[in-house]
Amino acid sequence: MIRDDLAEAVRSALVALAVEPLPEQVAMERPANRDHGDWSSNVALASAKKAGRNPRELAAQLVDHLNADLPAHVESVEIAGPGFVNFRLAPTWLHDVLTEVITEGEAGYAAPDVGGGKAVNVEFVSANPTGPVHAGHARGAAHGDSVARLLARTGHKVTREFYINDRGVQMQLYGASLAARKAGEEPPEGGYQGEYITDWAAGMPDDVDPVAWGEDRALADQREVLSAFGVDFDVWYRELSLVEAGLIEEALADLRERGVVYDADGATWLRSTDFGDDKDRVLVKSDGELTYLMPDIAYHRDKFSRADQLINIWGADHHGYVARMKAAMSALGHDPEELDVEIVQLVDLLKDGEPVKISKRAGNLIELRDVIDEVGADAARLTYLLQSIDSRQTVDLAVVASQGMENPVFYVQMAHARIHGIARRVVEAGVTRVPLADTDLSVLVHEREVELLRILSDLPDVVAIAARDRAPHRVTTWVRELAGAFHGFYHDCYVIGDGVSPELTQARLWLVESARIGLAIGLDLLGVSAPESM
RNA sequence: GCCCCUGUAGCUCAGCUGGAUAGAGCAUCGGACUUCUAAUCCGACGGUCGUUGGUUCGAAUCCAACCGGGGGCGCCA
């Protein structure tokens, strides 16, 4: 890669200039301002002090040294500002980028192996098995799945997991609600009021356990709608299976053995304050029942037996639970860093500017299915992945469903459709693409062409950073940039037609193909498909 | 009271492992279709990056305090 080549050239220049100590690494960055060249390094600024040099002088010496023997693709090296070393490159470096994209393809380009096969378990959604997946789960579903895609692309062995809370009083209430509706009665006090209860109860056979049947019914529904959303889990883990396997007792025994639990007030406590929590937590209540925490600890303990790294995607209303979960894992001897809890801030759902209230009790919840029906899975996913999960999001279904300019989904999908439009046009014209090796890429010098390639060259870094920071929205931002650059190219640079030489057509066909690959990689990471025509 | 997230253009948001005049879309105003989809492109307008200090050659970015917004603090799940 060009960046490594440039960094290496700078490093050997530093050595030649007897700079001591040598910096740990030579940072190369892309200046925001194009007047500052194609690549820039701040080494002179960063290492001058330690080396006892004047930054501006050091930079000048570096520039002289580099200009004396220019690295490949470099046209000139200049000093700027307080001591930046700026590289101005010939477009040929971008032609190398094009070749790299084409050669490595959809599977190979921008797939840095930073994971080294590390096993990562991503647990998300984990809705209660008492009803359909609702809109409140959607942002976490889109985010978790995209994080999983990013990790898989960057050399991790990924498991997508859904935890099923099928133990506890809510299941009894759920079963009783189904039974009541089937008998034509009102659900019990504190039961489930949703319309789906009546619908589902109508299909419930007479001779079944309403709780077990209801769980299966809910899970089938959840699985179906999540799949329609592009989210498929590898593991559906039932809390009851923890009980059946005796893993809860095992986990408690493990904690006792480690001396991190104690009995007080008739209850059993975890000494979580020893591990960074602000208070100790009850594991077994004085009435002998388990708290919610205990099975959760056993569950995470089991996940650690199956993976090196755990990632949990939780809603903002669960953030208070993070410290105690991490404390519990520390108590079990794990590095708290090995449990990464991602908190997804809430989504305010609007419809035509009016807030949509979600209340499970009242039963007026918006199902994920409704969102998909209304705006489509692609539009919904891209919308949820538009911004950082750290900030609260407002989603107006009317806007997402609209095909207007305020909707970025169509902008991106249009770019993809136009690429296929070109392909169709080329077929009509009877033109065939010659092999890349026989194509003269040096004709690609238009600012639009160059810009497209510059953006494509950023993708490997974007993917690496997005995976590291669990930040799929970085990919969204990049995809929108690429789409923008493509629309600009499409407008100004015809691939085929009068006034376009056969050589230029060939080069541009490969350029369009590289854009298609970039778009395909980005959209796949987001779990968004793109139509070939619109 | 304590904890987490957040405050960037009229609106919605990028940018945050510190870098050189802070970006995009929408909105407003003005331009561009005889050729691959004008669902597009180009230009203009628009910002003391919540406030005050600190660290640094350099801060939207790091640190502290304060102010504003959202969420959470159960022997509930």
Side-chain angles (χ1 to χ4, degrees):
Chain A
M1 280 192 42
I2 187 76
R3 179 173 53 196
D4 301 333
D5 298 343
L6 295 178
E8 192 45 47
V10 172
R11 173 171 290 277
S12 47
L14 288 168
V15 172
L17 294 169
V19 171
E20 186 65 40
L22 276 175
E24 293 269 319
Q25 59 176 10
V26 177
M28 295 297 311
E29 57 185 26
R30 305 280 306 280
N33 186 338
R34 290 266 291 107
D35 293 340
H36 295 141
D38 297 290
W39 286 90
S40 175
S41 180
N42 65 355
V43 264
L45 290 158
S47 56
K49 200 170 205 175
K50 271 188 187 169
R53 306 260 191 141
N54 173 298
R56 179 86 196 179
E57 268 171 33
L58 178 57
Q61 290 170 347
L62 280 170
V63 167
D64 285 345
H65 194 274
L66 289 161
N67 272 319
D69 182 18
L70 287 171
H73 302 299
V74 177
E75 283 185 337
S76 67
V77 187
E78 295 153 18
I79 182 169
F84 290 102
V85 175
N86 294 341
F87 295 83
R88 212 166 286 282
L89 274 60
T92 47
W93 80 276
L94 289 166
H95 302 152
D96 281 5
V97 169
L98 198 165
T99 303
E100 190 183 338
V101 174
I102 299 295
T103 307
E104 297 184 344
E106 266 182 67
Y109 186 65
D113 182 11
V114 293
K118 191 174 180 181
V120 184
N121 181 297
V122 186
E123 185 220 318
F124 58 115
V125 185
S126 299
N128 284 340
T130 55
V133 178
H134 57 78
H137 296 116
R139 192 182 192 186
H143 183 260
D145 184 61
S146 201
V147 165
R149 287 167 188 255
L150 277 163
L151 292 170
R153 191 170 188 91
T154 51
H156 300 82
K157 193 173 164 296
V158 178
T159 301
R160 289 172 178 77
E161 187 151 326
F162 186 115
Y163 182 58
I164 306 161
N165 292 281
D166 60 351
R167 191 195 65 90
V169 282
Q170 89 278 359
M171 291 306 290
Q172 303 311 313
L173 278 168
Y174 171 55
S177 301
L178 282 170
R181 285 298 189 195
K182 182 170 176 58
E185 296 160 10
E186 285 298 305
E189 181 70 27
Y192 291 79
Q193 303 290 335
E195 226 172 86
Y196 68 90
I197 294 286
T198 311
D199 295 343
W200 291 1
M204 183 167 70
D206 292 323
D207 54 347
V208 296
D209 168 16
V211 175
W213 184 89
E215 177 175 350
D216 288 345
R217 181 68 185 80
L219 289 177
D221 190 79
Q222 295 180 351
R223 200 184 300 250
E224 178 195 303
V225 70
L226 284 166
S227 189
F229 198 48
V231 180
D232 294 288
F233 289 90
D234 304 302
V235 176
W236 293 74
Y237 197 105
R238 296 173 62 232
E239 186 175 354
L240 278 178
S241 73
L242 277 175
V243 178
E244 287 155 9
L247 292 180
I248 295 176
E249 286 80 1
E250 209 177 274
L252 186 54
D254 190 353
L255 289 167
R256 279 195 193 282
E257 224 166 90
R258 291 170 186 272
V260 294
V261 296
Y262 61 92
D263 297 301
D265 306 327
T268 302
W269 298 70
L270 174 68
R271 205 184 305 279
S272 49
T273 47
D274 283 0
F275 303 95
D277 199 0
D278 54 1
K279 57 181 82 163
D280 288 344
R281 304 293 172 178
V282 173
L283 298 175
V284 185
K285 296 187 265 182
S286 50
D287 65 2
E289 288 292 318
L290 300 174
T291 59
Y292 186 72
L293 181 60
M294 189 58 235
D296 249 14
I297 292 173
Y299 172 53
H300 282 75
R301 182 172 173 272
D302 181 74
K303 282 201 287 189
F304 265 125
S305 73
R306 298 182 277 125
D308 307 315
Q309 173 76 48
L310 306 187
I311 297 177
N312 291 352
I313 313 292
W314 287 354
D317 52 341
H318 284 76
H319 102 264
Y321 207 67
V322 177
R324 74 191 71 168
M325 205 59 227
K326 285 199 165 231
M329 291 306 105
S330 297
L332 284 169
H334 293 287
D335 180 346
E337 294 287 303
E338 290 169 2
L339 170 61
D340 178 2
V341 183
E342 293 282 304
I343 298 299
V344 181
Q345 296 300 315
L346 300 178
V347 175
D348 292 315
L349 211 53
L350 304 181
K351 207 166 178 178
D352 298 312
E354 292 297 312
V356 178
K357 283 263 188 293
I358 294 173
S359 162
K360 210 168 186 179
R361 289 271 175 251
N364 66 342
L365 47 85
I366 301 279
E367 295 183 21
L368 174 56
R369 176 180 284 108
D370 299 332
V371 175
I372 294 173
D373 287 348
E374 192 131 350
V375 308
D378 286 335
R381 281 191 69 135
L382 193 83
T383 299
Y384 285 119
L385 297 175
L386 228 34
Q387 68 193 67
S388 161
I389 54 159
D390 290 338
S391 61
R392 196 184 175 102
Q393 184 178 33
T394 303
V395 172
D396 191 324
L397 291 175
V399 172
V400 181
S402 79
Q403 308 205 352
M405 309 258 258
E406 70 274 24
N407 189 348
V409 178
F410 291 91
Y411 187 81
V412 173
Q413 292 188 323
M414 188 63 193
H416 190 260
R418 281 179 152 181
I419 288 174
H420 282 84
I422 291 171
R424 286 189 291 271
R425 178 78 187 82
V426 162
V427 170
E428 283 170 24
V431 173
T432 39
R433 201 165 59 189
V434 305
L436 180 62
D438 301 333
T439 305
D440 178 13
L441 298 177
S442 69
V443 295
L444 299 175
V445 290
H446 193 286
E447 183 49 40
R448 297 294 202 178
E449 297 166 331
V450 166
E451 179 63 12
L452 199 44
L453 288 170
R454 258 199 289 269
I455 290 170
L456 278 167
S457 78
D458 288 336
L459 186 57
D461 279 354
V462 169
V463 169
I465 290 170
R468 184 200 62 194
D469 295 348
R470 290 84 159 96
H473 77 280
R474 294 255 192 176
V475 177
T476 314
T477 301
W478 181 87
V479 165
R480 295 174 72 185
E481 262 177 43
L482 181 73
F486 181 79
H487 284 307
F489 162 79
Y490 185 88
H491 188 268
D492 289 352
C493 304
Y494 279 83
V495 171
I496 190 165
D498 300 341
V500 183
S501 71
E503 292 73 28
L504 192 53
T505 292
Q506 286 300 327
R508 283 182 173 167
L509 279 175
W510 282 113
L511 179 63
V512 168
E513 171 63 5
S514 70
R516 188 197 64 75
I517 289 171
L519 214 45
I521 292 171
L523 289 175
D524 178 66
L525 287 170
L526 300 173
V528 174
S529 65
E532 296 192 357
S533 65
M534 295 180 70

